[in-house]
Amino acid sequence: MTDWWSYRPSDFLLFSPTTYWRLFELENAAVWPLPLVTLLAGLAVLGFTFRPPTWSGRPLALLFGLAWAWVGWSFLWQRYAPINWAAGYVAPLFALQALIFVWIAAAGAGCRLGTRFTLSALPGSLLLGYAVILHPLTALLAGRPLAGAEIVGIAPDPTAIATVGLALLMPPGVERWLLLIVPSLWLSASAVTLLTLSTWEGWIPIAVLGLTLLTVRRSPAA
Amino acid sequence: MKVDRRQLLLGALGLAAVRPRSEGAHAQTAHEVLRRIPSTGQAIPAIGLGSWITFNVGDDPLLRGASAEVIAAFVEEGGGMIDCSPMYGSSQGTIGYGLQRLGYPSSVFSAEKVWTNATGDGPGQIAETLDEWGVRRFDLLQVHNLVAWEGHLETLFAMKAEGKLGYVGVTTSHGRRHDLLERIMQRYPIDFIQLTYNVLDRDPEARLLPLAQERGIGVIVNRPFQGGALTRRLRNERLPAFAGDLGAESWAQVILKHLLSHPAVTVVIPATTQVAHLRENKRAAHGSLPDPTLRDRIVEEIRSL
């Protein structure tokens, strides 16, 4: 091909906003009551961030690893790939992210968080809280039914945002950087997809990426 | 109203009135304009049905049902070309579902594509596409976006020679690779080209459409509304007075009539998710078409808005 530069994101968009948002409604219905379980698990993780028990590092890593593996297989591979063949190529990255979490749990102490809540932990806590509690409500804000809410551990965007939040709560270092790569790639792709669909929700992953960048730049070196 | 293939072949009543004969709007038949496929003379309804984005609904039962309703309305309005591609996600399966519900009506002219970089994978992909549609043979197969076109054309010409395929074509979109398309039109005995042509994207008028006429190649027009951008842009604009002379009730019909009035155009394939829009599109091929003067006025009017 000699004219790839002439292609725009809209040239690769193969589905309508209606079809895209219906995916979440169908996924929630298909795996119900799992969305309720992952929501409660997300709330529990949020509680941990304020006063994490010393033993919570490995369970946290394994829980997030499980979430990435599930979202990659159930949502991306089973639900999203039929309407977007590119999702089939992204799903293995979700498996890779799951493996990174497993590796962090097996080789180290897992996702160790600070034992006391400090101001520097604010961006991570905010993102985690947003992903678990507020992001599902964007469906209502956009005039869609709550049945199609994007729930952490079920839908990719809140799972990626929660992971970014978790990583920002961890001390700077290789493990944090490793955990940020795939979610950042996904959020970038999600922003392009949503903005191409002309939906305001596309600005959410951009805001998350901006906050992440600001936070890691201000973090002291490991 | 169901129209079978036999009726289509015989239904040349509208053919004589396809080309404008005089200044301004030109009265035609009360029925949808039929076009002849240049290489065989087979008659085909001038308004077909595209499927990019609109039929890619996965296994969503609600949206699949809505798509099937659009296909049913298309068949009810006389049928014609339904165009799809392996690139369009689950659209092929959606079309297969819609056709199965209708008992595979013979009024549908099946147009598909082969879209793979590896020529050797072409036959396998075509077999999968046949399964998705639930048919044994396609009326038309096209090389999608000229991907690996030499090898795929060889495959398609062989299929046609064996009677496994009706017509062979190549496609492009968004005005890309027109030079290569022109070379293929000059060198290969293809039956159809498919390209983007609309009231604002008029590059094909310079060389490709005249060449298609000269070489007896049918022209399928995709993106007549620029993927919906054109009709959205005109949504709040008042229809010009000449729309009434053409019998056009909407901007969409004005745009389609502009395309249909080019003598090289065989079929226009707008895509839609709505039965009302489908019927509106089909009605654009009824009644009058603009003559060259009015074609220019349509372009000027839309450009000025």
Side-chain angles (χ1 to χ4, degrees):
Chain A
M1 297 287 284
T2 56
D3 50 1
W4 276 107
W5 62 85
S6 67
Y7 284 82
R8 293 166 299 179
S10 58
D11 297 338
F12 298 97
L13 194 69
L14 302 172
F15 46 86
S16 68
T18 305
T19 302
Y20 180 74
W21 296 121
R22 279 277 297 168
L23 292 179
F24 301 103
E25 210 171 327
L26 293 169
E27 181 69 2
N28 288 340
V31 301
W32 186 261
L34 194 59
L36 198 60
V37 174
T38 59
L39 182 64
L40 291 173
L43 290 170
V45 169
L46 198 57
F48 278 175
T49 61
F50 291 101
R51 193 172 289 278
T54 50
W55 50 265
S56 64
R58 284 199 176 100
L60 267 179
L62 291 174
L63 190 64
F64 270 78
L66 192 62
W68 277 86
W70 172 255
V71 172
W73 181 77
S74 183
F75 186 83
L76 260 77
W77 189 261
Q78 302 271 80
R79 181 86 44 201
Y80 193 20
I83 66 157
N84 183 2
W85 45 265
Y89 295 97
V90 178
L93 286 179
F94 276 57
L96 175 67
Q97 181 74 7
L99 288 176
I100 291 171
F101 271 116
V102 171
W103 175 76
I104 285 173
C111 298
R112 281 195 306 170
L113 312 179
T115 50
R116 282 191 313 154
F117 186 79
T118 62
L119 204 59
S120 63
L122 194 59
S125 298
L126 278 176
L127 288 179
L128 199 53
Y130 169 79
V132 175
I133 299 167
L134 294 181
H135 194 78
L137 301 177
T138 55
L140 287 180
L141 275 178
R144 299 189 300 273
L146 198 58
E150 294 172 80
I151 310 285
V152 69
I154 302 293
D157 278 16
T159 305
I161 296 170
T163 302
V164 168
L166 181 78
L168 294 183
L169 286 167
M170 291 168 62
V174 175
E175 290 171 346
R176 185 163 94 164
W177 279 110
L178 274 177
L179 287 179
L180 282 173
I181 295 170
V182 173
S184 300
L185 288 174
W186 171 261
L187 290 170
S188 305
S190 185
V192 172
T193 303
L194 294 171
L195 291 177
T196 308
L197 285 170
S198 302
T199 61
W200 59 267
E201 290 97 321
W203 294 105
I204 295 171
I206 290 175
V208 170
L209 288 169
L211 183 59
T212 306
L213 198 63
L214 281 175
T215 306
V216 295
R217 279 172 63 99
R218 288 170 62 91
S219 298
Chain B
M1 178 190 73
K2 280 190 177 180
V3 180
D4 63 22
R5 183 68 49 78
R6 184 177 171 79
Q7 285 173 290
L8 284 180
L9 286 165
L10 296 172
L13 283 174
L15 288 167
V18 168
R19 296 181 189 190
R21 289 177 303 201
S22 59
E23 293 273 313
H26 160 63
Q28 302 207 349
T29 168
H31 303 288
E32 180 177 3
V33 169
L34 298 176
R35 295 294 170 101
R36 284 206 185 279
I37 297 172
S39 60
T40 62
Q42 180 183 345
I44 186 169
I47 297 291
L49 183 60
S51 59
W52 183 60
I53 292 181
T54 51
F55 287 168
N56 184 17
V57 296
D59 58 359
D60 188 327
L62 191 72
L63 300 182
R64 262 198 156 194
S67 301
E69 291 300 317
V70 170
I71 294 169
F74 180 72
V75 170
E76 197 180 306
E77 293 284 342
M81 179 181 291
I82 298 181
D83 178 77
C84 196
S85 167
M87 186 194 175
Y88 301 169
S90 58
S91 300
Q92 296 175 324
T94 304
I95 292 169
Y97 172 73
L99 294 180
Q100 186 191 32
R101 278 187 24 167
L102 298 171
Y104 297 99
S106 58
S107 61
V108 169
F109 182 100
S110 54
E112 258 294 348
K113 304 187 188 85
V114 57
W115 177 66
T116 169
N117 279 314
T119 303
D121 293 342
Q125 186 180 70
I126 292 166
E128 285 172 18
T129 301
L130 286 166
D131 282 345
E132 291 286 344
W133 279 62
V135 298
R136 281 178 295 185
R137 180 182 186 270
F138 284 119
D139 292 304
L140 165 65
L141 273 170
Q142 305 150 93
V143 181
H144 188 131
N145 278 349
L146 303 174
V147 172
W149 62 274
E150 285 170 297
H152 290 318
L153 272 185
E154 203 173 299
T155 302
L156 301 188
F157 283 132
M159 286 178 68
K160 186 181 173 185
E162 292 167 19
K164 294 177 180 172
L165 175 64
Y167 299 97
V168 175
V170 292
T171 81
T172 180
S173 67
H174 300 75
R176 297 189 180 100
R177 309 186 89 187
H178 281 183
D179 289 345
L180 176 57
L181 186 60
E182 189 175 345
R183 288 204 299 277
I184 293 171
M185 290 168 73
Q186 283 165 337
R187 293 176 192 172
Y188 292 84
I190 54 175
D191 301 292
F192 280 100
I193 56 164
Q194 183 181 141
L195 44 68
T196 295
Y197 174 41
N198 57 61
V199 74
L200 296 183
D201 301 313
R202 297 168 58 217
D203 282 354
E205 288 178 357
R207 297 199 318 266
L208 296 176
L209 296 183
L211 182 61
Q213 280 182 281
E214 182 192 319
R215 300 275 298 159
I217 297 170
V219 176
I220 302 164
V221 174
N222 62 36
R223 294 178 59 81
F225 306 132
Q226 289 189 325
L230 198 47
T231 39
R232 278 194 296 276
R233 174 176 153 185
L234 297 168
R235 190 164 39 204
N236 298 320
E237 301 292 345
R238 204 161 55 91
L239 271 179
F242 60 69
D245 300 335
L246 286 170
E249 306 150 341
S250 64
W251 278 110
Q253 290 183 345
V254 170
I255 291 165
L256 290 174
K257 281 176 179 290
H258 170 266
L259 295 173
L260 292 175
S261 63
H262 195 293
V265 170
T266 312
V267 181
V268 184
I269 49 169
T272 181
T273 57
Q274 296 183 39
V275 168
H277 288 170
L278 180 283
R279 295 193 194 282
E280 180 185 332
N281 293 341
K282 275 289 196 184
R283 282 200 302 277
H286 293 215
S288 306
L289 293 180
D291 68 3
T293 310
L294 192 48
R295 278 175 55 81
D296 292 342
R297 278 187 65 195
I298 291 171
V299 172
E300 284 165 22
E301 183 79 24
I302 291 177
R303 275 192 174 158
S304 70
L305 295 173

